[in-house]
Amino acid sequence: MARLGAQFGPDITFLGVDPCDLDDRSTYSDADVVIVGAPLDGGATFRSGARFGPSALRQGCYLPHDGSRPSLALRVDGLTDLRVYDAGDVDMFNGNIEQAVQRLEEAVYKIASAGAIPITLGGDHTVAWPDHTGVARHHGFGKVSMIHFDAHADTGDIQMGSLVSHGTPMRRLIESGALRGDRFLQMGLRGYWPDETILQWMAAQGLRSYEMTEIVTRGLDECLSEAFTIAIDDCVGVYLSVDVDVCDPGHAPGTGTPEPGGFSSRQLLDAVRRICYELPVLGLDVVEVSPPYDHADITALLGNRVILEAVSAIARRRKDKEQGTVWDPAEPLLHGREIDEQLRLITMGEQARRNGEGTRHVHHH
């Protein structure tokens, strides 16, 4: 199969899921989810290394890479309950960022137009511009809202003389019409950028930006619930963009622009699960994982789990919709399992007695 393959690192798929070839739609015609790597860090303005993110995200797990991950919390196996494929990495020359983003947009559009949810493994946050655009080309410009987790607004205009960087993708999206400013929700902003001029532009576009002080004061769940109402108003679905630097550097050290005072990994995983379970997610990316700056794979492991949490929640959402059930996050882990296990043990014991395989006395001579 002539798939894209890996640009950096071993040519493997995400946790062992089946590969596909984006140039041959028959290889993913039944797909619910298609994963694609975007090994780009040519848009980074501080620490580079996110080009190695896709490889780290695919490998970031201590369990067998067998294409299966049953979720303890959600009681589904997102990688098997859904048809999940990995198309490999888009070829990206970091010295030609304009070409790189065009290639990624085409790849994401192919996935979305085939009826699947594209999941992009970044790469720096530049990739959110072509990612969301590719989804919006299929579902309609202005019809796909975005929930954006990040320490930074990424709404700059020109950085270091370039319109294309990891600090400008959201402005490019809004200016192009792919994303409505008043359907753009940001979570986790903090620190000392952007400046007042950019903040005024954001306000004029109708952005809703939740800075960490507001989130801490009001509570993350309340802010998410409010954002959800806006995100689904007059839109067909939501795009989720997760910059790992939304988490405190203690939870995600391997990133290009770390900013102290962010989410815990637990908060991020819970939020991603809520979004993908409660909202119609049409695409997502996980970006800014920079393995050269990681410690003990902390950031890669978190990014891997963000993807798994999203896929598992999407699978649970679809299962509940089909069966008319509702997932209860307060349900104890073993609820509904005790009786089945007791019956299994009783049956085994009865079978052993019938076969004369009960406990035997050992005679010593």
Side-chain angles (χ1 to χ4, degrees):
M1 182 182 297
R3 60 190 291 271
L4 294 172
Q7 188 166 335
F8 303 106
D11 187 9
I12 58 174
T13 64
F14 181 81
L15 300 183
V17 301
D18 291 336
C20 71
D21 177 3
L22 288 186
D23 290 329
D24 182 358
R25 185 172 285 196
S26 68
T27 65
Y28 58 100
S29 60
D30 63 339
D32 297 304
V33 172
V34 176
I35 294 168
V36 64
L40 178 73
D41 58 19
T45 56
F46 187 46
R47 302 195 310 202
S48 61
R51 68 181 67 183
F52 305 112
S55 180
L57 288 166
R58 287 186 174 102
Q59 299 178 75
C61 187
Y62 56 86
L63 295 168
H65 288 211
D66 56 3
S68 172
R69 283 298 181 278
S71 167
L72 289 178
L74 289 157
R75 300 188 178 214
V76 292
D77 186 334
L79 298 184
T80 60
D81 291 353
L82 301 176
R83 291 296 296 140
V84 181
Y85 295 93
D86 191 332
D89 290 346
V90 174
D91 286 333
M92 290 181 154
F93 174 45
N94 280 277
N96 189 344
I97 197 166
E98 290 83 3
Q99 179 196 66
V101 295
Q102 288 173 1
R103 288 179 173 178
L104 181 57
E105 181 185 323
E106 288 303 319
V108 172
Y109 174 69
K110 284 181 180 180
I111 295 167
S113 61
I117 298 171
I119 296 181
T120 301
L121 313 179
D124 71 49
H125 218 153
T126 306
V127 306
W129 174 30
D131 285 343
H132 181 281
T133 303
V135 173
R137 276 174 58 186
H138 175 65
H139 294 283
F141 268 39
K143 289 297 182 181
V144 181
S145 62
M146 180 184 282
I147 298 180
H148 167 216
F149 285 83
D150 205 326
H152 310 96
D154 292 354
T155 50
D157 187 12
I158 300 174
Q159 288 195 322
M160 300 181 184
S162 178
L163 290 167
V164 187
S165 82
H166 72 166
T168 64
M170 307 314 176
R171 184 176 289 225
R172 301 289 85 88
L173 277 170
I174 293 169
E175 288 178 339
S176 72
L179 174 64
R180 286 172 54 175
D182 61 354
R183 294 296 178 271
F184 181 32
L185 299 309
Q186 299 182 301
M187 291 281 170
L189 303 188
R190 60 189 186 277
Y192 303 90
W193 185 87
D195 59 27
E196 185 61 29
T197 302
I198 296 174
L199 292 171
Q200 288 176 359
W201 180 88
M202 292 163 61
Q205 304 303 315
L207 273 65
R208 183 61 173 94
S209 304
Y210 295 84
E211 195 266 341
M212 279 302 298
T213 305
E214 179 185 357
I215 292 172
V216 170
T217 302
R218 298 180 59 196
L220 177 57
D221 275 334
E222 181 180 329
C223 293
L224 284 173
S225 295
E226 182 177 275
F228 289 5
T229 302
I230 300 169
I232 60 174
D233 180 26
D234 198 31
C235 286
V236 296
V238 179
Y239 187 93
L240 173 61
S241 187
V242 179
D243 184 332
V244 293
D245 75 20
V246 75
C247 285
D248 187 89
H251 293 253
T255 194
T257 48
E259 182 65 55
F263 287 2
S264 69
S265 57
R266 179 72 266 157
Q267 287 175 307
L268 176 59
L269 292 172
D270 286 347
V272 168
R273 183 200 299 136
R274 266 200 72 187
I275 291 166
C276 293
Y277 179 69
E278 296 182 27
L279 302 179
V281 171
L282 302 176
L284 64 103
D285 59 53
V286 177
V287 301
E288 297 288 352
V289 173
S290 181
Y293 289 94
D294 210 357
H295 301 280
D297 301 328
I298 293 172
T299 317
L301 291 167
L302 173 59
N304 178 278
R305 287 327 196 229
V306 168
I307 297 160
L308 277 178
E309 205 69 44
V311 172
S312 299
I314 291 168
R316 182 78 249 181
R317 174 183 171 87
R318 293 190 181 185
K319 185 173 183 178
D320 282 353
K321 187 174 181 180
E322 292 169 359
Q323 299 181 353
T325 53
V326 177
W327 174 66
D328 179 8
E331 185 177 45
L333 174 65
L334 301 180
H335 183 262
R337 290 183 165 104
E338 301 94 326
I339 296 176
D340 291 343
E341 179 66 8
Q342 288 175 1
L343 288 174
R344 187 183 71 83
L345 293 172
I346 291 170
T347 302
M348 286 177 60
E350 291 176 348
Q351 185 68 38
R353 283 193 294 274
R354 282 197 295 270
N355 294 340
E357 296 173 356
T359 303
R360 297 178 180 176
H361 295 288
V362 177
H363 299 281
H364 299 279
H365 299 282

